[in-house]
Amino acid sequence: MHKSDTPRTYRVKSFGCQMNVYDGERMAELLAEQGITPAPEGEDADLVVLNTCHIREKAAEKVYSDIGRLVKAGEEAGRKPMIAVAGCVAQAEGEEIMARAPAVSMVVGPQAYHRLPEMIAQAASGKRATDTDMPEDAKFAALPKRRKVGPTAFLTIQEGCDKFCTYCVVPYTRGAEISRPFSDLLREAASLVEAGAREITLLGQNVNAWTGEDVTGRELGFDGLVRAMAALPDLQRIRYTTSHPNDVTEGMIAMHGEVDKLMPYLHLPVQSGSDRVLKAMNRSHTAESYLKLLERFREARPDIALSGDFIVGFPGETEAEFEETLALVDAVGYAQAFSFKYSARPGTPAATMDGHVPMAVMDERLQRLQAHLNRDQLAFNQASVGKTCDVLVERKGKKPGQWLGKSPWLQSVFFEGEAAIGDMVRASLEEAGPNSLRGEVLEKVSA
Ligand code: 5AD
Ligand code: SF4
């Protein structure tokens, strides 16, 4: 590799989950602290960070085609961008990337990106660098303070996963479960609020597995953290994602009935409605135990909006087993959900199981499942019509004078009138579509 100039502009492209979005924001802040500025819209950047996702599909192939595109655009413009591959593909396939893509200067895993500045200096002096270490905790301590954020912000409180669902790469790419310390989290939350956040979404692969100690050394669970965050005066809303059924506690259910700032929304993946499939997935819950949990959340907070994740076509899934998933969906009535075709991930136990389901069957099952989920999402939105709720304004809408925000139940609500980003307005919900609602503003609650 040739020596290259220290980059002056950067672009971070994040794929995949919200944690990657959070990591992408933190990398951007870190680069900004080094005096590197975001590349203006439509202009090539000196440094491109591809923050990759490995959870499904041919993610790695996509990375190579992105790299190819960047190299070509660089050649056409007579320049050579510095390319960093970050995220879970970097973690899982770092060495291969380095071997296959000479244009890549840096490979950096999700636990090591605080070391980007040194890696950039190294790359500028002509040395390629790989860092896929998983040092506990070091990353967050090394990242700069949050300075300016929008009204909604993410905060990673927990990372990694010890559950080892047989289809999933996360335990390998993100490592073992770790919880960030309580005082660091409260400090970061306070700085997010100071920087403009009105809503914080607590993130973790198993967010409700978080444990820690408060300042007096008393042990706290996830609900203790949420209650402590709710005491931050200018923070108006708290959300969290993603939870695991096995880490649900009494306290976590109770907080939904007791903490006003906690939004009535729960994303609790189930993956399948068939106990045989759940067992083969190593989920350690049954369809019935999951439904019972949801019942208890509904008792604590009757208007809670439910969301989940589903996989169709897990190896060996029969038509009858798939129909058990449809029956579970019908029993719950989800407000929102995410559904995927099973994708064999190299190195996971399911990848070598018998009975891989043909793509055409998976396509057909996914369509049927999504028909049920879409029906329920529309029904949930329609049932909201006539309600009055607070809407946190996130951005301008497509039409002039239009604004877009979120209801407590995470629905997109658009409305016309006087407002600004970050306002909380009270609105009556007038009309519902599959993906959004139209509201009318009654009053401004806070700015
Ligand atoms: N194939 C399909 N979907 C998957 N998910 C995780 N791994 C796979 C896979 N190999 C889905 C699960 C999980 C969500 C984040 O992604 O539904 O909850
Ligand atoms: Fe993957 Fe299962 Fe862990 Fe979720 S709980 S990250 S699906 S292994």
Side-chain angles (χ1 to χ4, degrees):
M1 202 185 99
H2 301 291
K3 282 192 179 191
S4 50
D5 293 335
T6 302
R8 275 169 296 130
T9 61
Y10 72 84
R11 175 163 297 123
V12 179
K13 271 180 82 176
S14 288
F15 304 89
C17 66
Q18 285 155 325
M19 194 170 293
N20 254 19
V21 175
Y22 173 88
D23 288 345
E25 285 169 5
R26 303 301 317 255
M27 283 190 252
E29 288 162 355
L30 187 62
L31 298 174
E33 212 196 34
Q34 305 297 308
I36 311 177
T37 54
E41 266 306 298
E43 276 183 33
D44 293 338
D46 299 338
L47 166 67
V48 179
V49 180
L50 299 173
N51 190 21
T52 59
C53 171
H54 201 229
I55 203 145
R56 282 176 296 273
E57 293 158 16
K58 298 186 174 61
E61 289 313 312
K62 195 168 158 14
V63 177
Y64 291 112
S65 64
D66 273 357
I67 295 167
R69 212 171 306 127
L70 285 171
V71 171
K72 194 157 167 272
E75 277 166 3
E76 280 164 12
R79 61 210 294 272
K80 231 175 146 194
M82 189 182 271
I83 301 174
V85 179
C88 292
V89 179
Q91 188 68 35
E93 298 182 21
E95 279 173 29
E96 281 159 74
I97 296 170
M98 276 300 195
R100 238 180 95 177
V104 171
S105 307
M106 287 162 270
V107 162
V108 59
Q111 305 304 345
Y113 63 77
H114 54 294
R115 296 181 185 153
L116 263 177
E118 297 140 55
M119 297 174 83
I120 292 168
Q122 209 178 322
S125 72
K127 275 195 246 113
R128 303 170 84 201
T130 299
D131 195 338
T132 49
D133 284 356
M134 292 196 180
E136 266 190 38
D137 262 13
K139 172 177 73 186
F140 293 110
L143 293 172
K145 193 166 176 264
R146 319 291 306 261
R147 286 183 209 287
K148 195 170 177 303
V149 297
T152 64
F154 292 131
L155 171 54
T156 293
I157 67 162
Q158 180 279 342
E159 277 188 292
C161 180
D162 298 336
K163 305 288 188 291
F164 290 94
C165 298
T166 53
Y167 50 81
C168 187
V169 284
V170 167
Y172 312 98
T173 54
R174 291 272 173 173
E177 284 177 7
I178 62 148
S179 297
R180 293 182 63 194
F182 177 77
S183 49
D184 291 8
L185 293 173
L186 278 193
R187 208 176 310 124
E188 192 172 327
S191 76
L192 283 170
V193 174
E194 202 183 310
R198 293 293 163 262
E199 172 182 298
I200 294 181
T201 301
L202 307 176
L203 295 180
Q205 262 92 30
N206 283 296
V207 75
N208 57 329
W210 185 90
T211 56
E213 287 174 0
D214 69 8
V215 282
T216 66
R218 192 170 54 106
E219 271 199 36
L220 285 184
F222 174 60
D223 56 309
L225 178 68
V226 169
R227 286 174 197 272
M229 295 244 166
L232 289 171
D234 288 328
L235 179 63
Q236 291 174 312
R237 291 179 160 187
I238 302 172
R239 301 183 183 279
Y240 61 91
T241 197
T242 274
S243 327
H244 194 287
N246 290 5
D247 293 321
V248 171
T249 60
E250 292 294 329
M252 179 184 167
I253 296 173
M255 75 181 180
H256 272 280
E258 293 165 8
V259 180
D260 288 344
K261 291 183 185 179
L262 180 63
M263 292 297 101
Y265 186 94
L266 173 70
H267 179 241
L268 196 67
V270 63
Q271 316 296 357
S272 168
S274 148
D275 289 345
R276 198 216 44 93
V277 173
L278 287 169
K279 194 148 193 275
M281 287 177 164
N282 191 32
R283 286 292 295 180
S284 31
H285 59 77
T286 62
E288 196 192 328
S289 70
Y290 174 84
L291 289 172
K292 284 211 169 113
L293 269 185
L294 294 189
E295 242 355 275
R296 294 177 50 215
F297 276 100
R298 276 185 164 146
E299 276 163 26
R301 181 77 204 224
D303 69 336
I304 199 163
L306 298 172
S307 169
D309 290 352
F310 298 88
I311 296 176
V312 301
F314 185 80
E317 184 190 69
T318 63
E319 169 63 24
E321 287 165 346
F322 168 68
E323 284 170 14
E324 291 183 81
T325 300
L326 294 181
L328 180 137
V329 166
D330 292 351
V332 173
Y334 288 94
Q336 272 186 13
F338 304 90
S339 48
F340 313 101
K341 287 182 276 191
Y342 169 74
S343 160
R345 310 313 292 139
T348 59
T352 52
M353 284 180 186
D354 292 336
H356 279 259
V357 175
M359 189 52 88
V361 176
M362 288 207 275
D363 281 330
E364 190 259 349
R365 288 184 188 166
L366 188 67
Q367 272 191 23
R368 281 158 68 200
L369 173 60
Q370 289 182 343
H372 285 240
L373 293 170
N374 292 342
R375 173 202 67 195
D376 293 348
Q377 182 169 325
L378 179 62
F380 184 85
N381 288 347
Q382 283 168 339
S384 304
V385 172
K387 284 188 186 168
T388 296
C389 70
D390 287 354
V391 173
L392 177 59
V393 182
E394 290 182 13
R395 57 187 169 87
K396 286 188 169 159
K398 284 199 194 101
K399 293 189 198 144
Q402 201 184 54
W403 298 92
L404 201 86
K406 292 273 162 49
S407 77
W409 306 282
L410 206 63
Q411 298 149 300
S412 292
V413 178
F414 61 90
F415 64 88
E416 280 166 23
E418 283 293 301
I421 292 171
D423 284 356
M424 188 75 81
V425 298
R426 188 147 303 138
S428 64
L429 302 176
E430 300 289 331
E431 264 180 86
N435 298 311
S436 62
L437 289 123
R438 186 178 68 78
E440 269 172 25
V441 179
L442 305 172
E443 59 178 321
K444 189 183 278 192
V445 182
S446 64

